[in-house]
Amino acid sequence: MKTKIAIQGVRASFHEEAALKYFGEDIETIECDSFKKTCEILKQGKADYVVMAIENSIAGSILPNYNLLRDYRFHIVGEVHLNIQQNLLVLPGVKLSDIKFVESHPIAIRQCDEFLSDYPEWIVKEGMDTAACAKGIAENKLTNTAAVASLLAAKLYGLEVLERRIETNKKNATRFLILANEVIEVKNANKASLSFQTGNTVGALATILQCFAEQNVNLSKIQSMPVVGRRNEYDFYVDVEWKKQSDYDAAIRKVLKHSVNFNIMGEYIKNERV
């Protein structure tokens, strides 16, 4: 039986590319129209995992997804980095001069603003998903519309690549988390995602960060989110990496003494960015 992966978007989206990169080809993709829907599918046991984008090297953190991590309390069992390459896709035979509209996800549009600025006459429209825009062109036979999407979308939906690599920053990458509904022990884990709160006192956060530094545990990311309904209180989400398990264990023991609502969201193997 194939592993079932819930993704936001349709087939050939970057979420499916990330799923294929992490799990391999033998998967069944469950298309969802929102990140919340992917979480519901996992909660209901209709999927084995969720692949969820959490940050982009250009657009930054995807903050609503931190709220979903907080609300659903799924377990992070892995991560995958995907280089994001955007392309201008059209129906076969359509030329640049035929294009009047360009459709894609808002972030993808932002990633290609330099290219799109060369064609001010085009009307840029925001869509739910890069691949969904490509699919729409194919299904509706739109001869005046182009989509900004992946090569996988071009192949799956029978579109022609009119312009390749139109993203402004060629080092554009997105980090995706692999979520499960139950704890899955990962051998040789060397990275963890944690959440906690601190007291509202001078140096409270600095004290916790120092706990990691003292044990040679690297803090690779920190993100704060307001605690709903509590003024001046924040949840802190951090990613940490280590070389020696004993250093990480010691750091956690220290942090527990200085934090509240501490939670290990997941311990997993670091995925090197390529």
Side-chain angles (χ1 to χ4, degrees):
M1 183 177 295
K2 292 185 177 182
T3 302
K4 296 180 180 180
I5 313 297
I7 62 167
Q8 186 274 325
V10 301
R11 290 197 60 203
S13 66
F14 290 112
H15 274 83
E16 186 178 54
E17 282 199 43
L20 291 168
K21 182 177 179 180
Y22 187 86
F23 291 100
E25 299 288 334
D26 194 27
I27 63 173
E28 177 184 337
T29 301
I30 301 175
E31 301 175 342
C32 301
D33 58 11
S34 68
F35 285 113
K36 183 176 177 62
K37 183 65 179 294
T38 67
C39 293
E40 284 296 316
I41 290 293
L42 181 60
K43 181 180 178 181
Q44 295 165 12
K46 296 178 181 178
D48 300 304
Y49 300 95
V50 163
V51 173
M52 177 184 286
I54 197 65
E55 62 179 311
N56 176 265
S57 58
I58 295 175
S61 296
I62 304 174
L63 299 182
N65 287 354
Y66 278 96
N67 290 331
L68 292 174
L69 292 176
R70 177 199 64 202
D71 295 342
Y72 284 89
R73 301 183 74 84
F74 292 138
H75 302 281
I76 302 171
V77 298
E79 66 173 0
V80 59
H81 291 274
L82 187 68
N83 287 336
I84 304 300
Q85 299 180 2
Q86 305 286 12
N87 308 273
L88 193 70
L89 310 183
V90 295
L91 284 176
V94 172
K95 303 179 181 63
L96 278 173
S97 58
D98 298 323
I99 297 174
K100 294 183 179 180
F101 304 96
V102 175
E103 297 182 352
S104 195
H105 187 277
I107 292 179
I109 291 170
R110 193 191 321 173
Q111 292 167 350
C112 303
D113 55 359
E114 189 172 294
F115 173 84
L116 294 174
S117 68
D118 291 336
Y119 300 91
E121 70 276 16
W122 290 351
I123 298 174
V124 179
K125 301 168 66 176
E126 295 182 353
M128 180 192 76
D129 177 71
T130 55
C133 293
K135 183 179 181 181
I137 290 174
E139 290 181 341
N140 298 303
K141 307 299 181 184
L142 302 178
T143 58
N144 64 351
T145 305
V148 175
S150 67
L151 294 177
L152 181 61
K155 180 180 179 180
L156 183 62
Y157 300 118
L159 299 181
E160 183 176 305
V161 181
L162 203 57
E163 296 282 349
R164 290 176 178 263
R165 301 298 305 275
I166 65 172
E167 69 275 7
T168 302
N169 188 326
K170 305 306 179 187
K171 295 184 178 181
N172 179 22
T174 296
R175 177 181 173 231
F176 299 82
L177 298 178
I178 313 300
L179 308 178
N181 202 14
E182 57 186 31
V183 176
I184 299 176
E185 184 177 354
V186 178
K187 294 183 179 180
N188 301 315
N190 58 2
K191 186 172 183 178
S193 293
L194 316 170
S195 67
F196 55 83
Q197 297 169 16
T198 69
N200 190 17
T201 57
V202 175
L205 178 59
T207 298
I208 290 178
L209 300 185
Q210 186 62 29
C211 293
F212 293 119
E214 289 173 352
Q215 297 300 145
N216 297 312
V217 173
N218 181 46
L219 185 74
S220 58
K221 180 179 175 61
I222 182 168
Q223 179 71 53
S224 64
M225 295 287 289
V227 176
V228 178
R230 297 183 185 178
R231 186 179 179 183
N232 297 327
E233 291 189 31
Y234 295 87
D235 285 311
F236 292 97
Y237 298 87
V238 301
D239 293 334
V240 296
E241 303 167 7
W242 63 90
K243 293 183 178 179
K244 293 175 59 178
Q245 183 69 33
S246 58
D247 288 339
Y248 167 70
D249 293 340
I252 295 301
R253 288 195 295 270
K254 289 183 177 181
V255 170
L256 283 170
K257 298 177 182 178
H258 301 283
S259 63
V260 294
N261 294 330
F262 179 87
N263 179 38
I264 297 177
M265 302 166 67
E267 298 172 341
Y268 47 96
I269 297 174
K270 176 183 177 182
N271 177 248
E272 298 293 343
R273 185 175 298 180
V274 295

